Amino acid sequence: MSEFAELSFGGKTYQIPVVTGTENEKALDISKLRAQSGLITLDYGFKNTGSTSSAITFLDGEKGILRYRGYSIEELAENSNFLEVAYLIIYGELPTKQEFDQFVKDITMHTMVHEEVKSILDGFPSKAHPMGVLSSLIGALTAFYPEALDPSRSADEVNMSIIRILAKMPTIAAWTYKNEIGHPVNYPDNSLDYCSNFLKMMFAVPSDKYETDPVVSDALNKLLILHADHEQNCSTSTVRVVGSSHSSLYSSVSAGISALWGPLHGGANQAVIEMLEGIKADGGDTQKWMDKAKDKNDPFRLMGFGHRVYKNFDPRAKIIKKAADNVLNKLGVHDPVLEIAKGLEEVALKDDYFVERKLYPNVDFYSGIIYRALGIPTQMFTVMFAMGRLPGWIAQWKEMRENNEPIGRPRQVYVGKNHRPYVNIENR
Ligand code: SDX
């Protein structure tokens, strides 16, 4: 049964269709609002605005629910692996054994990166932040695969772009780290699984034989699963809008990497560790820093806390917090900032300011503590987020293109000067 909302304005009443999703979420379809009434809507930061309908990820912020293609994040984190989750998110179903083996084989055969990419990499100073290098090198893939620029490509050719970027992301990500520390790059070892191959490319040095610790690669697998998609967040919306102009997958993902870099988004995982280190250096007085976070005159924010959608615990944060204890114990790592993080969480969850605003730890609050225990340097934390989010960006770009969505071009309310005549410079 069709549902409608009524809008009364200027002496007229308009019927606005109501759309209902498969989880009974409801939305006003305002696609004809301006034509009918001359009105547009205004919603800074799109806090109340849906940009699309999607079948990929479902979030319930009030209940702290996250599902990829209907499967709960808790079950996937516990039972699956990153490439299987990537397949699920991109193609919509869990793969059969044959489908999965072929997917892994295809990816394994494309982990190498064109040798001339190294020439571009060598152009970056070692002080370059890895996220800037990653965004540039992913965009540069268009130079090596110009066929990816053709928006009318067949599904098979689009799928080749998907396999290539999934396969080359770990290689390029590891190379951004080697560039930062001034070490020679490592090439992929196709005898290893996706995470172990990445870790070896990150940490192997010519003089030593590198063996991946299964505790480390398992923890990385879980972290990448937890970051794999998150509906219409800032970077995914960026990928969709850039892709809506029929820009290539590579350039759309490059734009998504840049959006993720911001400290209010994926860059928060780096900012959290820097914040915790600052609190530790300042003597570990968590209440002092909580008071600063609540002080409107103080620009300090409790990084890793709060979320646009989750007004309950971020389910990923709960899983990561548990994994942090587990991984640090297994690796025999004692990280004092973990205790500071737990102390901050404990104080915040009892503090009216945070309780009233429903500010809980988000995915970034504990993830950096695990990355650090795995030996991953702070400046690489957001690169890890990008590696995890890649399947989501791909799936959302693919869904937008397959649904033939129009180019994203929002309206505005103009608040500038009214019409005025030009005045010659002598008379100003
Ligand atoms: C990610 O969207 C996604 O799904 C993102 C993500 C994904 O997987 O893609 O989940 C990943 O980006 C997680 C968020 C990482 N960012 C941070 O941890 C940075 C710190 N958090 C915030 O800056 C903030 O909470 C946001 C950006 C996450 C959400 O901001 P909103 O929804 O725009 O909310 P807001 O800034 O309007 O805050 C509402 C109130 C304000 O106070 P009042 O004006 O009502 O008095 O809460 C306060 C804010 O001042 N507030 C905080 C706070 N976060 C919000 N106060 C102190 N510390 C904080 N962290």
Side-chain angles (χ1 to χ4, degrees):
M1 177 196 67
S2 302
E3 290 181 280
F4 291 88
E6 284 194 348
L7 171 70
S8 296
F9 177 74
K12 290 185 181 173
T13 301
Y14 304 93
Q15 297 269 313
I16 302 176
V18 174
V19 172
T20 304
T22 51
E23 288 288 341
N24 210 28
E25 297 166 303
K26 296 192 180 291
L28 298 178
D29 177 350
I30 57 168
S31 50
K32 296 185 173 56
L33 179 66
R34 190 170 185 275
Q36 289 171 342
S37 68
L39 292 167
I40 65 165
T41 57
L42 187 58
D43 185 17
Y44 294 99
F46 313 119
K47 293 192 174 188
N48 306 282
T49 299
S51 58
T52 189
S53 52
S54 176
I56 300 168
T57 292
F58 172 67
L59 301 187
D60 182 321
E62 283 65 34
K63 295 177 186 157
I65 293 173
L66 170 57
R67 298 188 198 126
Y68 299 151
R69 301 284 189 180
Y71 295 94
S72 77
I73 192 64
E74 292 81 4
E75 283 195 282
L76 291 170
E78 188 61 32
N79 304 309
S80 188
N81 63 71
F82 179 60
L83 283 187
E84 182 178 79
V85 167
Y87 187 102
L88 168 68
I89 287 174
I90 294 168
Y91 303 111
E93 298 295 339
L94 285 169
T96 61
K97 171 108 178 49
Q98 188 186 357
E99 288 167 334
F100 181 66
D101 291 346
Q102 185 59 52
F103 186 59
V104 171
K105 183 167 174 254
D106 290 345
I107 286 172
T108 302
M109 299 317 292
H110 288 86
T111 51
M112 284 286 281
V113 172
H114 195 291
E115 195 66 3
E116 287 174 6
V117 170
K118 267 178 52 189
S119 313
I120 304 170
L121 180 70
D122 291 342
F124 284 97
S126 54
K127 63 176 179 294
H129 193 290
M131 282 295 277
V133 181
L134 182 69
S135 174
S136 305
L137 295 187
I138 291 294
L141 289 178
T142 51
F144 298 91
Y145 307 100
E147 66 276 15
L149 297 175
D150 175 4
S152 62
R153 296 168 67 218
S154 70
D156 285 347
E157 289 171 317
V158 169
N159 201 56
M160 192 63 248
S161 293
I162 290 171
I163 294 294
R164 281 193 176 116
I165 194 169
L166 274 170
K168 299 176 193 307
M169 176 66 106
T171 309
I172 293 173
W175 284 14
T176 67
Y177 171 57
K178 289 301 195 184
N179 179 68
E180 189 190 9
I181 60 173
H183 281 194
V185 299
N186 288 314
Y187 291 94
D189 175 348
N190 288 341
S191 68
L192 299 174
D193 63 63
Y194 197 80
C195 287
S196 301
N197 195 9
F198 168 72
L199 291 164
K200 184 174 181 182
M201 288 189 282
M202 277 281 287
F203 298 120
V205 291
S207 51
D208 301 342
K209 180 166 171 40
Y210 179 84
E211 290 291 336
T212 307
D213 180 338
V215 171
V216 175
S217 57
D218 288 350
L220 181 57
N221 237 309
K222 190 185 286 269
L223 282 166
L224 295 180
I225 289 172
L226 292 168
H227 286 81
D229 192 52
H230 214 240
E231 57 142 87
Q232 305 311 315
N233 58 83
C234 176
S235 54
T236 300
S237 301
T238 301
V239 169
R240 284 184 86 120
V241 165
V242 172
S244 72
S245 72
H246 289 186
S247 188
S248 72
L249 175 62
Y250 302 145
S251 33
S252 303
V253 168
S254 172
I257 292 167
S258 296
L260 185 73
W261 193 359
L264 292 187
H265 189 17
N269 58 17
Q270 173 178 336
V272 166
I273 287 294
E274 291 166 348
M275 171 188 76
L276 294 173
E277 285 289 5
I279 293 171
K280 180 174 137 234
D282 183 55
D285 179 354
T286 47
Q287 190 56 56
K288 168 186 171 185
W289 290 87
M290 291 296 292
D291 295 340
K292 283 171 64 70
K294 299 188 292 185
D295 179 355
K296 290 301 173 198
N297 299 315
D298 190 321
F300 174 76
R301 275 205 161 182
L302 196 58
M303 300 311 278
F305 255 77
H307 197 277
R308 174 62 57 75
V309 174
Y310 289 123
K311 301 309 172 190
N312 192 324
F313 262 91
D314 180 333
R316 303 166 296 175
K318 288 165 80 172
I319 297 169
I320 292 175
K321 180 183 177 184
K322 195 171 145 211
D325 277 327
N326 180 31
V327 169
L328 270 66
N329 288 337
K330 280 187 178 175
L331 294 175
V333 169
H334 171 66
D335 189 344
V337 299
L338 176 58
E339 298 320 309
I340 293 176
K342 288 181 176 177
L344 278 171
E345 178 185 354
E346 193 181 331
V347 172
L349 296 185
K350 294 175 193 153
D351 184 290
D352 289 347
Y353 174 96
F354 285 82
V355 172
E356 282 160 15
R357 291 167 179 79
K358 298 181 179 175
L359 302 176
Y360 292 89
N362 59 49
V363 67
D364 294 311
F365 191 59
Y366 286 105
S367 55
I369 291 166
I370 299 186
Y371 288 140
R372 198 150 86 149
L374 303 185
I376 292 167
T378 307
Q379 289 234 103
M380 284 291 289
F381 288 179
T382 313
V383 169
M384 304 311 299
F385 195 142
M387 261 178 66
R389 185 52 51 89
L390 181 59
W393 287 334
I394 292 169
Q396 300 270 352
W397 180 90
K398 182 171 175 284
E399 181 180 70
M400 176 272 304
R401 292 298 302 275
E402 287 171 351
N403 292 346
N404 201 24
E405 292 190 10
I407 186 168
R409 199 272 185 225
R411 308 298 295 240
Q412 66 162 26
V413 173
Y414 175 72
V415 293
K417 296 285 189 193
N418 298 114
H419 181 254
R420 49 183 172 162
Y422 179 79
V423 177
N424 288 329
I425 194 164
E426 300 78 29
N427 304 323
R428 289 175 202 159

